[in-house]
Amino acid sequence: MPNGARTRGRLGRATTVTVAVTTAILAAAGTATAAPGDLFGPSGGTTYVTPDNPGPFNGTFEKGSGTRRVTERYGAPEGGGTSSLELNTPKSGDSALYATGEVEGPLETFRDSSYWALRGNGSSPDAAPAMNIAVDRNGGEIEPQDLVGLVFIPSSSPAGRWTRYDLGSASFCFIRVSGGVDPYKECRDGAPKRTIDDVLAEFPDATAYAAGVGLGTGTPGASGAADLMRVGDRTYDFERSAPRPEGRASGPLTLPGPGRS
């Protein structure tokens, strides 16, 4: 490999041992490649993320008795089909996060991003499913000291009701990664916050290389769900199975965006 070439797959697996953060975002084995300027895959439309065909979502981290699975328990927000990603952390030390593998792209893509979340009845108001973004703040060849976790936890999320969260101007907890850190807990404990624009102003070469949704430690009895995670003009819909257009066999499915065929 030439000097200066990226080594994200190799380094990602190594840092998983000491950097529990990008909390599973780095737990995926292997490296996926994205087209320049497009973080998670083909532009436009909706990609169905199913148990059989998860697409780029091949990173999972479940600590203790924490669980994540695609179910119909909470239904889905309008336009989100019948299923969603269910998350549960029964005990204080549990966590559950579902994320993409290492799929590199510009952090600025998240200026136009959103997701839907539902806080389960019985969960504390500040224990809703969070958006997590793994960031290499300097771009270039990644080094452990360059790893940053951006975590957005909805404040006072309404229980039992699907709510859409726009992330372009949202305040994320800015967490410098170190061994044993749980970004979700650090965020709930009052980590400093920055918008995507703030991060890019300080680190103009910052690169996002994975993202996902989850619940972290310190949230005993928490439950909830997430769906319709949108990054740029691509939306990820968590479903038990993808709908089949007439005349097409079952399998991985990506719907074209407007004006595409």
Side-chain angles (χ1 to χ4, degrees):
M1 178 177 294
N3 291 334
R6 299 202 180 253
T7 56
R8 292 184 181 277
R10 175 170 54 80
L11 184 57
R13 290 191 290 273
T15 53
T16 300
V17 178
T18 57
V19 187
V21 18
T22 347
T23 44
I25 293 184
L26 294 183
T31 301
T33 302
D38 196 342
L39 189 56
F40 295 150
S43 296
T46 297
T47 291
Y48 293 96
V49 180
T50 71
D52 291 336
N53 296 298
F57 285 80
N58 63 352
T60 184
F61 182 79
E62 297 168 1
K63 182 179 179 181
S65 52
T67 61
R68 63 92 188 158
R69 56 182 182 168
V70 177
T71 73
E72 296 182 356
R73 177 180 179 183
Y74 292 107
E78 183 177 357
T82 60
S83 305
S84 55
L85 179 68
E86 180 186 347
L87 301 155
N88 294 281
T89 53
K91 301 177 182 179
S92 182
D94 298 342
S95 62
L97 184 146
Y98 192 38
T100 68
E102 299 169 47
V103 188
E104 180 186 350
L107 178 60
E108 66 184 33
T109 305
F110 284 90
R111 283 173 163 155
D112 183 20
S113 61
S114 63
Y115 76 116
W116 288 76
L118 177 150
R119 178 173 63 88
N121 294 320
S123 302
S124 61
D126 61 346
M131 170 68 84
N132 299 255
I133 307 172
V135 176
D136 169 12
R137 59 184 182 176
N138 292 328
E141 184 170 350
I142 190 169
E143 300 291 345
Q145 66 268 23
D146 295 332
L147 298 177
V148 174
L150 299 182
V151 181
F152 171 79
I153 303 177
S155 59
S156 301
S157 174
R161 190 174 76 202
W162 283 103
T163 304
R164 183 177 183 269
Y165 298 97
D166 290 310
L167 302 174
S169 59
S171 293
F172 288 79
C173 291
F174 184 87
I175 300 168
R176 298 182 188 278
V177 175
S178 60
V181 165
D182 180 338
Y184 190 97
K185 185 176 186 302
E186 291 285 315
C187 191
R188 293 181 74 238
D189 289 345
K193 293 185 177 182
R194 302 182 188 182
T195 64
I196 297 293
D197 284 349
D198 292 336
V199 175
L200 288 171
E202 184 173 358
F203 305 105
D205 296 324
T207 298
Y209 59 93
V213 289
L215 290 170
T217 59
T219 57
S223 62
D227 204 5
L228 297 182
M229 174 177 157
R230 183 176 62 83
V231 180
D233 60 358
R234 174 146 298 278
T235 298
Y236 292 88
D237 184 0
F238 298 98
E239 292 293 334
R240 291 293 301 164
S241 61
R244 282 187 294 169
E246 184 177 351
R248 176 167 177 167
S250 61
L253 177 63
T254 297
L255 295 183
R260 298 176 187 268
S261 59

